[in-house]
Amino acid sequence: MSQALDRFRSIRDKVEAGERLDMDDGLALYAPEVPLQEIGALANLVRERKHGNVAYFNINTHLNPTNVCIYRCRFCAFRSDLRDPKGYVMSPEQITARGQEAFDNGCTEMHIVGGLHHKMPYEWYRGILEQLSEEFPTIHLKAWTPVEIGWFEFLAKRSVSEILADLKDAGLGSLPGGGAEIFHSEVRDQICEHKADSHKWFEVHRAAHQLGLKSNCTMLYGHLEQAYHRVDHLLRLRELQDETGGFQTFIPLAFHPENTQLTEIKKPSALADLRNLAVARLMLDNVPHVKAYWIMLGIETAQVALQYGADDIDGTVRHELIYHDAGATTPQMLSVDRIKELIEETGRDPVERDTVYNAIHRDPNDFRRWETGEALLAAN
Ligand code: V47
């Protein structure tokens, strides 16, 4: 029997006994000799221990106020140069219109990220949160990654904690998981050498957690990285989670090459997607949720992922640009009925949640009205 298969037997024992996996276990889980379905079954065990048969979704929308960005990350198809005709900056009226559309569609969350515009001041970014939270107070604003927060630190000449506290005052509800890419400098320096490094990424999430803000975390895979970079990435996330407990959800993100500087790389297969998801569920024993982001995986793989460690499928989504600019062929949005049907087809029970994992109970007579119910965040 190969070493990896041998190791997998001990991994199974460890997981069944609720013990933590280490770097060598993670590497064995990425070894091609270990069958994907075995890893999936083990990840499913963990997923069902934490969440039973439930699969979560929300009603959400994206807002990318500008695509103009000082950085040129090699994996990004969304960004634009300052003078490129593709570049845009949204006006306050356009932002209000997006908020209104979100409200009219019963959205509980706006996911707000964008470029680091050469000319827009910190107050412009802050003002977007202030405007939306004043106009649409029921919509949770999940906004800005450590990449933007690091830029605000430079623009405003204030510390990360001061910036986050100020943004919280302006309406910030939580932080999305983006900007993590791959933390290891062997890879990070090749794909996004100038932007926030791993220290900054962790500094921002630690500071957010200390201020009582929840956040998500991601990993961009399927480009220049190798298995040990991925396992290293997961272990670093697990370490901060041990310290703060502030991460809610991990989202593995498959690289989409179209319109990027890495078009020679092939998009990861569905099998690679499922393996990354399952390995993450097994390694991140202290992160409550793992998300199968249907926009990125495709609907069919996202459905299968609900048996491979994922307990959340993201939301109905509207106006997604980052993946669609990079060649995603998934629809721009799903209706609530369709997302529930997709979850039910897999044998799971759909539960609508808000951003911080409280149950949402809709008024049957007016879809736009809801009550926030019980907390759903699974114990670690
Ligand atoms: O940070 C950019 C990735 C991220 C490409 O927190 C790309 O709930 C693939 O973080 N191919 C942004 N990936 C998306 C993100 C996210 C998505 C869904 C939910 C949540 C959440 C967070 O997308 C970026 C980067 O890692 N990305 N370009 C590309 N060409």
Side-chain angles (χ1 to χ4, degrees):
M1 185 178 291
S2 86
Q3 262 189 345
L5 278 175
D6 222 16
R7 182 117 201 164
F8 181 67
R9 291 225 305 249
S10 83
I11 292 174
R12 186 158 36 210
D13 292 345
K14 276 190 183 177
V15 171
E16 282 170 4
E19 286 170 28
R20 185 161 260 201
L21 304 182
D22 62 20
M23 168 61 95
D24 287 337
D25 294 325
L27 292 175
L29 290 171
Y30 277 117
E33 312 84 283
V34 181
L36 171 61
Q37 60 274 28
E38 302 257 356
I39 302 173
L42 206 53
N44 194 46
L45 173 81
V46 175
R47 178 243 187 269
E48 290 189 354
R49 269 186 196 154
K50 286 182 187 284
H51 307 286
N53 202 43
V54 163
Y56 301 105
F57 72 96
N58 71 351
I59 303 185
N60 63 344
T61 187
H62 288 223
L63 180 77
N64 306 118
T66 179
N67 61 351
V68 174
C69 191
I70 54 160
Y71 292 144
R72 294 176 174 218
C73 299
R74 289 173 74 197
F75 56 80
C76 184
F78 164 72
R79 72 163 299 282
S80 165
D81 285 336
L82 184 60
R83 279 178 256 286
D84 190 319
K86 179 192 164 202
Y88 70 83
V89 176
M90 289 175 82
S91 65
E93 294 72 30
Q94 286 172 316
I95 290 170
T96 295
R98 283 295 191 78
Q100 189 63 50
E101 179 194 55
F103 181 80
D104 291 342
N105 285 287
C107 280
T108 58
E109 169 188 295
M110 282 183 109
H111 178 157
I112 309 173
V113 288
L116 310 187
H117 194 284
H118 307 53
K119 296 194 169 167
M120 296 317 241
Y122 167 65
E123 289 68 28
W124 179 71
Y125 291 88
R126 184 191 191 279
I128 293 169
L129 299 184
E130 202 168 44
Q131 177 191 341
L132 285 168
S133 64
E134 274 170 18
E135 291 174 349
F136 309 100
T138 57
I139 301 180
H140 177 109
L141 304 178
K142 180 177 84 175
W144 316 131
T145 71
V147 182
E148 287 107 331
I149 306 293
W151 181 236
F152 302 161
E153 194 187 358
F154 169 77
L155 290 177
K157 306 281 179 282
R158 293 163 80 179
S159 72
V160 164
S161 295
E162 285 170 350
I163 295 278
L164 285 169
D166 188 43
L167 293 177
K168 199 174 165 193
D169 278 350
L172 179 69
S174 66
L175 260 57
E181 324 318 355
I182 286 283
F183 295 132
H184 201 299
S185 58
E186 279 171 10
V187 178
R188 200 171 185 88
D189 291 350
Q190 291 192 59
I191 60 172
C192 52
E193 64 170 325
H194 297 297
K195 86 172 179 192
D197 63 11
S198 61
H199 298 289
K200 183 58 68 188
W201 198 93
F202 280 102
E203 180 193 346
V204 170
H205 281 267
R206 182 180 286 108
H209 298 167
Q210 284 164 352
L211 281 171
L213 294 165
K214 292 287 182 190
S215 70
N216 292 340
C217 49
T218 59
M219 173 176 78
L220 181 69
Y221 62 89
H223 42 91
L224 305 181
E225 90 291 355
Q226 294 172 26
Y228 79 93
H229 298 121
R230 277 179 245 142
V231 181
D232 169 75
H233 189 97
L234 297 173
L235 293 179
R236 293 193 207 200
L237 291 172
R238 191 171 78 183
E239 204 179 309
L240 181 64
Q241 183 71 343
D242 276 344
E243 191 187 313
T244 64
F247 289 129
Q248 308 188 102
T249 307
F250 174 75
I251 310 119
L253 297 172
F255 174 56
H256 281 40
E258 233 175 82
N259 304 318
T260 72
Q261 294 173 50
L262 296 168
T263 41
E264 69 285 3
I265 296 178
K266 252 178 69 192
K267 184 171 168 283
S269 67
L271 300 180
D273 292 337
L274 292 172
R275 188 174 290 247
N276 274 296
L277 221 131
V279 173
R281 181 62 288 168
L282 292 169
M283 297 303 296
L284 295 176
D285 57 355
N286 54 2
V287 175
H289 301 278
V290 172
K291 193 185 273 188
Y293 184 35
W294 66 264
I295 288 270
M296 168 274 289
L297 289 171
I299 288 165
E300 292 80 4
T301 308
Q303 283 183 299
V304 180
L306 294 178
Q307 322 297 325
Y308 276 74
D311 60 278
D312 192 299
I313 198 160
D314 200 72
T316 48
V317 186
R318 263 166 209 269
H319 304 292
E320 198 288 329
L321 293 178
I322 293 174
Y323 270 87
H324 286 91
D325 282 358
T329 53
T330 38
Q332 263 295 342
M333 61 160 298
L334 293 173
S335 67
V336 175
D337 286 346
R338 183 73 187 121
I339 214 162
K340 284 186 176 167
E341 189 179 82
L342 290 171
I343 292 171
E344 281 163 355
E345 272 173 18
T346 72
R348 300 289 189 200
D349 306 321
V351 168
E352 186 187 344
R353 60 159 178 92
D354 67 8
T355 309
V356 291
Y357 289 86
N358 297 302
I360 292 288
H361 303 295
R362 297 263 161 196
D363 180 339
N365 300 316
D366 182 354
F367 187 73
R368 284 184 311 176
R369 298 168 78 90
W370 73 80
E371 276 181 16
T372 306
E374 65 283 11
L376 299 166
L377 202 62
N380 285 335

